[in-house]
Amino acid sequence: MVVVLVGAIIVIAAQILDQKLHYTSTDVVPGPIVPGTQYPDEAFTGIDVPQPIDFSHKIHAGDNEINCMFCHTYARRSKVSGIPPLSKCMGCHTVIATEKPEIQKLTAMWEKGESPQWNKVHDLPDFVHFTHQRHLKRFLFDNQELDVSDAKRVCSMCHGDIAEMTVAKKSRPLTMGFCIRCHEANEGPSDCTKCHK
Amino acid sequence: MNQSKLDRRQFLKGLGLGGAGVALAGCDLPSYVTLEQGEENVISYLAPNEYVIPGVGVWYASTCVGCSAGCGIHGRVREGRVLKLEGNPDSGVNMGRLCQMGQAALQHHFNPDRIANPMVRKNGALVEASWDEAIALINEKSKSGKAAWVTGTISGHQRVMAQTHLGAIGGSRHYAVEQINANVWKTACKDIINDPNPEIHLEKAKVIFSLGADFLGTFISPVHFAASYAEFRTPPRGTLIQAEPAMSLTGGNADHWVGIKPGSETALALGVANALMNNHGVAGNGISNATKTLINKHDPETVAGICAVPVGRIEKIAASLAANSPSLVLAGGSATGNANGYSAAAAALMLNQMLGNIGTTITAGRELAYPQLDLVEGNSANLKDLAIDANEGKIDVLFVSGANPLFLAPKSLKMLEGWNKVGFKVVLSSMLDETAEAADVVLPLASSLEDWGSHIPSYAKGTRNLALQQPLMEPVFPNTRGFGDVVLALAKDAGAPGLDDYDDYYGYLRSAISALKKTDSEKEWNGFLMAGQTQIPSLGRKLSYSDGKITPTMNDSDDGNLTLIASARMGMWDGRGANLPWLQESPDQISKVVWDSWAELHPKTAKSLGIKDGDYINIKSASGEVTTRAFIYKGIHPGAIAVPIGRGHSALGRYAKDNGVNPLSILNGASDSKTGEIATTATKVSVKSAGKNKQMAKLMEIDRQHGRKLVATISADKQRRTEGGA
Ligand code: SF4
């Protein structure tokens, strides 16, 4: 009994500590706005996750304005957005920026026939069924007020302003409360079984 | 098993408090607990095929090898892994359906107890070795004496391959061992109606009278028959009468379940025939005079005494068969599982002849134009032969795959003694079962979802197909090899002619099927693979009828002991399902017990023995003893005790080992006088309480509704009136 009580207290305390550590003030609104939607305005301070290649989202999506879906090509067709296949990287980088050390790392992997082992930044538990496809349809393709070339605004709803980051860092809480508040504001489904299949 | 300090009550309390904590914290906070950052890897593709989309499954066709029915499957493959199996709608065997064992093939494939590397016996113990070492050892030893192969039911090109290898090493005998089979029925059909595998049309029958044939669970092609059964049950709804000593899944679905005395099925069939001839004017065309004399001797009163079935019930069965034509009479399972099983099958066919069912609900099947590809159907007579031949020193080198003789053989057969006399034993297997554990060389096989193969389904309606099996993903254990690949290599090493052109079994299979189909176009080959099957030529058979030998003798005396019924169930099957947690966890269709064996006892018998539900009981035959818990219910004859087969392994893996008991081990060695099938319902046992009781883990505690109308029922008569039909 005592063990159980102490356990419960530890769990609750850890969760409160978790909130103190990771939530920044709730009025911060990072990332561009998506027209025609109620925007989730919660931020989260994720940890730095090192990656095998210091990939810069800023150079690609920010400075060069490459559409997020050019590389994350599966997002509109599948539940996962997918990491681009190495062949796609090499499509450009056999000629572009070949002198940079990070690109040389990439080329060496390609020549060896190995894929980088990226570390997962945004992870949902296995009992949550989230689909990128459905969210892109709702907020991008069916959204008359937003041009498809501006996809990154939609991505930023959950991923923050990735176009300003090098490797990605979690900047939204992605908790169930976060999902639910956005679903309520934008009249998304509220059935338990929509996400917990 | 270790008893955890945390019992159920404490666990629930903890869960309640933990839940309260989560509720206090709301939906926002478990981020610390569950939302990881940087913990898992995502590995991108190098250069994927165009159609590959992560998160979206692609379905590939293949064939289930869970039993010899050979159902077509579709496997959903995502990110290179097979995640779900479904039935292939284009397969004439299962028409899109799949049984629980087919579904659970995934857990065989991903099983943590699969053998990862070859093993050879050194100083008495199996130790890991390289493929080269293992194969070299086999090549050295395999021509050193009389060689033999043991398989389960085997067909298609795997059969050709195994027999080619056997020929090349100078062996002669191929034992096909299968505990659950329809050998007695098929032998009777071959002798009596001239077709071992006739088409059985449940859907055309108005009444089915089944002597123990569990066609929804274990008889020939259960998924196929379940579909025909569904058709049979659509209005105008057919009536099912099932006579068996212990209720099977099919018995549980019957309108009339007749709990017959074990071994008296032949007499019941004769009693029904008697009532048909005397009360309903059935002439009995084609029935010989000798058989008619036998029928005359079996009036319902006499039969009632033999079978412990009331006279009225026998007359009702006859009346129902006489009034509803066409009907269908089947025999299998417990009816054919005794020393007189052939007679029961012969009597069932005799009833079909009398009722004019031959040609209507039983029609001619088709024979393959390439008999070398046809099934070698396994049976338990071969198991017995294997034990005898091994004991007599007739085998020096043995290759085993797809069968587990050391688990299946009753102790009375002395299989282990025989096994130990065989000089050199090679087992090709994906799991370390009882047989593999006792081998000299173990070669690790790919799972059924990683391998190539071609199969002839054990039952087919209309045209005949070759069912194709293809790998659905890369091997989970990289050092395993396909059955065909291993045997092809062994056959080549042994100098079998004509195989030099083939580097692997895929190459062999593809060229053999191209030759069969007279096309080597890539497109057509892909078409076969996408369909999971391809049609092959067959010839029609023709049915005739000549009486079989019916001897209704009961070869057991009423010595006060109970008759043990080693019953077969879809799920554990003959034991191959025991290491798959999904199957252990699925409640038994009748008792609802999970994760353990049990012994079914009639309440009357239990009372007279002083046994209560959940009591541990010793079940003792002349050749051994098992101890399991009693499950008391009315779906069994009072003179019988039923223990399902499949559990009680001493090997096979962590989920199977030391779980439950194996009733096959204590069978007395009796067998069917005609086919040699090991009798599973002819062993007398004494039963006594072991003095312990523990509640059984089962889904449903009581079998009564206590007037609560949880399941609404109406009488069959009323149902017939309200839903149409006769
Ligand atoms: S009946 Fe046999 S072949 Fe068909 S799905 Fe079940 S185990 Fe597989």
Side-chain angles (χ1 to χ4, degrees), chain A residues 34-37 136-147 154:
Chain A
V34 178
T37 64
L136 280 181
K137 180 167 156 44
R138 163 72 178 79
F139 293 112
L140 184 61
F141 299 115
D142 289 354
N143 189 350
Q144 302 302 331
E145 296 167 50
L146 189 64
D147 195 82
V154 176

Side-chain angles (χ1 to χ4, degrees), chain B residues 496-549:
Chain B
L499 296 175
D500 290 342
D501 291 348
Y502 310 114
D503 294 335
D504 56 13
Y505 187 56
Y506 167 77
Y508 171 79
L509 196 66
R510 178 155 181 197
S511 100
I513 293 175
S514 302
L516 194 72
K517 296 293 291 183
K518 302 185 177 63
T519 165
D520 53 7
S521 107
E522 180 82 20
K523 195 167 161 225
E524 285 193 65
W525 169 252
N526 285 334
F528 302 155
L529 291 181
M530 278 166 79
Q533 59 188 7
T534 178
Q535 196 180 321
I536 50 174
S538 57
L539 319 160
R541 290 196 188 101
K542 230 173 125 54
L543 295 188
S544 58
Y545 180 85
S546 67
D547 269 351
K549 193 165 159 39

Side-chain angles (χ1 to χ4, degrees), chain B residues 3-16 695:
Chain B
Q3 283 279 316
S4 156
K5 285 222 183 77
L6 197 71
D7 70 10
R8 185 165 164 269
R9 191 172 292 266
Q10 271 177 328
F11 173 75
L12 287 175
K13 273 187 197 159
L15 204 66
Q695 196 183 20

Side-chain angles (χ1 to χ4, degrees), chain A residues 3-4 24 70 72 75 88 100 115 148 154 156 161-162 175 191:
Chain A
V3 179
V4 169
T24 49
F70 179 77
H72 295 289
K88 179 154 266 172
K100 290 197 181 168
S115 294
V148 176
V154 176
S156 78
D161 202 358
I162 295 267
T175 56
D191 294 357

Side-chain angles (χ1 to χ4, degrees), chain A residues 77-88:
Chain A
R77 305 188 196 119
S78 171
K79 56 189 284 194
V80 298
S81 65
I83 306 290
L86 216 52
S87 54
K88 179 154 266 172

